[in-house]
Amino acid sequence: MPGDGQVKERDAEFAAFVGAATPRLRRTAYLMCRDWHLAQDLTQLTLAKMYASWARIWRTANLEAYSRRVLMNAVFDQKKRRSDSEVVLAELPDRPGAGTPTAELHVTLMRALATLPVRDQAIVVLRHWEDQSVDTVAEILGVSASVVKMQSMRSLTRLRELLGEEFILQ
């Protein structure tokens, strides 16, 4: 049984991890589900699952990669439960400049991303939004690097078809 000092240290490490990782996890969850409330729920679920395993993983695991994998599993589970007929629409906040081209571009990108299958959305978000390597994405999603490369290429082609050739995607 760990000593009181070790438990405090472990809990302090978890609190520091939560503070650092929450914005990234919430942003990634939002890109996957396009709903800030659901993204917050998925982020909290991810952190709760990590806390349950924290005693085992806090010093041994790559916490960034581990958190992405837990989040993606939560997203995939949520997508399986949600009806295919449900559509989540991005609502722009009431604020000055909400009608700017940046807001319109955001909505256009989110709608295009929503047309992709959920695993392809995950690949695009992790590779091109979070700038993760092919190998890291493959590890997070539990697929081979060649699957990540092929699905990324197909997904970007699909997005270019939807958005037009003049639209720049990397």
Side-chain angles (χ1 to χ4, degrees):
M1 182 167 203
D4 196 37
Q6 189 178 12
V7 170
K8 287 180 182 178
E9 180 185 0
R10 186 178 68 210
D11 287 349
E13 287 288 329
F14 182 74
F17 173 78
V18 168
T22 296
R24 173 187 52 82
L25 291 169
R26 188 175 34 236
R27 183 177 49 247
T28 300
Y30 174 75
L31 289 169
M32 293 299 299
C33 68
R34 292 159 306 283
D35 177 333
W36 280 112
H37 298 290
L38 181 56
Q40 181 64 28
D41 290 346
L42 292 167
T43 300
Q44 291 301 317
L45 179 64
T46 297
L47 294 171
K49 287 183 177 189
M50 289 190 69
Y51 186 75
S53 301
W54 195 252
R56 178 177 47 84
I57 65 169
W58 74 301
R59 288 192 176 167
T60 59
N62 175 342
L63 297 175
E64 294 291 318
Y66 189 91
S67 65
R68 283 186 182 92
R69 181 162 198 149
V70 173
L71 176 65
M72 286 302 151
N73 287 339
V75 168
F76 295 155
D77 289 345
Q78 182 274 331
K79 293 277 186 176
K80 287 177 192 172
R81 286 190 304 271
R82 179 173 276 193
S83 166
D84 287 339
S85 64
E86 278 187 71
V87 177
V88 177
L89 299 175
E91 292 185 45
L92 298 176
D94 292 326
R95 65 180 179 0
T100 63
T102 304
E104 292 172 19
L105 177 63
H106 173 79
V107 171
T108 301
L109 285 171
M110 295 306 292
R111 286 183 178 156
L113 187 62
T115 66
L116 299 175
V118 68
R119 185 167 306 274
D120 293 351
Q121 289 178 36
I123 290 171
V124 170
V125 167
L126 292 169
R127 278 285 295 133
H128 302 286
W129 183 268
E130 288 198 0
D131 198 29
Q132 298 297 315
S133 71
V134 169
D135 292 334
T136 300
V137 174
E139 181 181 334
I140 290 168
L141 299 178
V143 298
S144 69
S146 62
V147 167
V148 171
K149 290 176 188 177
M150 182 62 70
Q151 291 308 110
S152 179
M153 183 182 69
R154 288 181 183 165
S155 296
L156 292 179
T157 298
R158 174 73 179 134
L159 291 174
R160 283 186 191 101
E161 289 170 0
L162 291 170
L163 299 170
E165 286 299 321
E166 66 279 355
F167 198 88
I168 298 174
L169 291 171
Q170 296 181 0

